[in-house]
Amino acid sequence: MPAKRRCLIVGLDGFDVDVLINLYTFYKASGMSVRVSRRPANTDILVLCRPNMREIFSNVKASECHVYDYVGTNPIDLNAVFPRVENFILIRPKLSSEDCEVSNIRCTEAMPPVMTDVWLSGPQPSRAIDVGHIGHFKKGSENDKYGLRLINAISEGRVEVWGSGWDGVIDSEKAIIHPSTSVYESQHLYRNTNLSVGLMYDFQRSQTLSGRMWQAPLNGCLLESEPVDLAVQVPGVVCGDDYLLGTGIPKQVSESDIKDEAREYWNRVTANLASFLGVRLMHVKLASFYGRRLLFAHHLKRGWSPF
């Protein structure tokens, strides 16, 4: 019996937990042996998250390296950083003309995979939260018109917020500010919220999507966001310049419609990505079980433990 192919997921610059769980589940579903590390090592498939390279890894061997640059980092000379890796695939939400000029680097415009079975839940009997925002205060957003709208909405009590840093910005008796939550807890909040409000850093708006843009809709919660170049076709997400002005939000939206459309969309784009990468998703149900276990383990430990 042939040995399983080895996959090593590496985050030199740290991990976004939701993205890491999706990547772990994605490669696990292909039947690979998957490990997570902060340092590269010899493997069959090397997976890089948020590549922020400050050193050369001249001894690391891999037949292929999948580079998920979903935060829009500066261009990287991948062959110089990993001279013993045979081939690279660069996955970015928005590619530039210079990204794919090297013969052993293939490119595709895509987000990291979203494994919907990890995040989907049963129906929510009641949604006690009208409008909510899950996220820490973004430094500099007080100088941004969309950030100011969110600050004002929280100050006026129109948006409940879960996250850190808001107490130092908002001084209002009307504000409803809760402590930050784990990614696991955030899914329960989305299931209990009618409308979630997102906010991205201004430099991200033309480069990527927020994890809220799939987490909220998969939990049947509509998401309102400021204008974001790449989010116009994402089901369950309403983007526009009338952000938090109350003019662009549908009055009646079915929870089941939001969840069904989001699931179909993210399953389709993830299947397209898998096809491009040559990854066969044969064990999705079993891998999703492991993904849910990791999500809960992170919640219990308030930190990442890749087992």
Side-chain angles (χ1 to χ4, degrees), residues 10 12 38-41 46 48 52-61 80-85:
V10 175
L12 291 170
R38 292 294 299 270
R39 301 286 298 176
L46 179 63
L48 298 180
N52 189 3
M53 304 303 181
R54 301 184 182 91
E55 58 184 299
I56 305 298
F57 299 96
S58 56
N59 294 321
V60 173
K61 295 180 182 179
V81 174
F82 294 101
R84 303 186 74 178
V85 171

Side-chain angles (χ1 to χ4, degrees), residues 46-255:
L46 179 63
V47 176
L48 298 180
C49 302
R50 291 171 26 173
N52 189 3
M53 304 303 181
R54 301 184 182 91
E55 58 184 299
I56 305 298
F57 299 96
S58 56
N59 294 321
V60 173
K61 295 180 182 179
S63 59
E64 197 164 86
C65 178
H66 300 171
V67 183
Y68 290 90
D69 184 12
Y70 58 92
V71 294
T73 58
N74 293 326
I76 302 161
D77 187 343
L78 292 168
N79 283 291
V81 174
F82 294 101
R84 303 186 74 178
V85 171
E86 297 174 20
N87 296 287
F88 299 89
I89 300 181
L90 178 61
I91 302 105
R92 270 185 174 153
K94 191 174 184 179
L95 292 168
S96 68
S97 57
E98 296 83 23
D99 282 333
C100 305
E101 294 181 344
V102 182
S103 59
N104 68 334
I105 301 179
R106 296 168 59 214
C107 301
T108 185
E109 285 193 343
M111 286 292 291
V114 173
M115 303 301 288
T116 60
D117 283 356
V118 174
W119 310 95
L120 284 166
S121 65
Q124 181 69 28
S126 64
R127 293 183 178 265
I129 304 162
D130 189 22
V131 184
H133 173 75
I134 302 172
H136 305 308
F137 172 72
K138 291 179 169 58
K139 188 176 180 180
S141 61
E142 70 274 21
N143 301 315
D144 171 74
K145 74 173 184 178
Y146 303 113
L148 273 175
R149 287 185 196 172
L150 179 57
I151 290 170
N152 291 336
I154 295 170
S155 299
E156 295 165 4
R158 293 189 287 119
V159 176
E160 287 188 56
V161 63
W162 285 259
S164 62
W166 295 100
D167 289 328
V169 181
I170 295 173
D171 182 16
S172 169
E173 293 183 355
K174 294 181 180 179
I176 307 173
I177 301 174
H178 305 277
S180 58
T181 68
S182 68
V183 179
Y184 176 84
E185 289 172 314
S186 296
Q187 309 314 301
H188 290 275
L189 286 173
Y190 285 129
R191 290 168 202 152
N192 202 31
T193 302
N194 286 310
L195 173 66
S196 185
V197 175
L199 182 72
M200 300 176 70
Y201 287 106
D202 57 355
F203 67 87
Q204 294 178 319
R205 292 170 187 158
S206 63
Q207 297 292 327
T208 189
L209 303 181
S210 164
R212 300 181 189 90
M213 294 180 178
W214 53 265
Q215 290 182 44
L218 284 175
N219 285 291
C221 177
L222 189 70
L223 178 80
E224 181 181 12
S225 178
E226 76 276 35
V228 179
D229 289 358
L230 303 175
V232 290
Q233 300 298 325
V234 177
V237 179
V238 178
C239 296
D241 197 52
D242 50 4
Y243 170 76
L244 282 173
L245 297 180
T247 58
I249 301 301
K251 302 299 182 184
Q252 296 286 333
V253 182
S254 164
E255 172 188 332

Side-chain angles (χ1 to χ4, degrees), residues 23-40:
L23 287 172
Y24 183 93
T25 306
F26 179 76
Y27 288 98
K28 192 82 170 172
S30 73
M32 294 186 196
S33 171
V34 183
R35 293 192 301 117
V36 178
S37 175
R38 292 294 299 270
R39 301 286 298 176

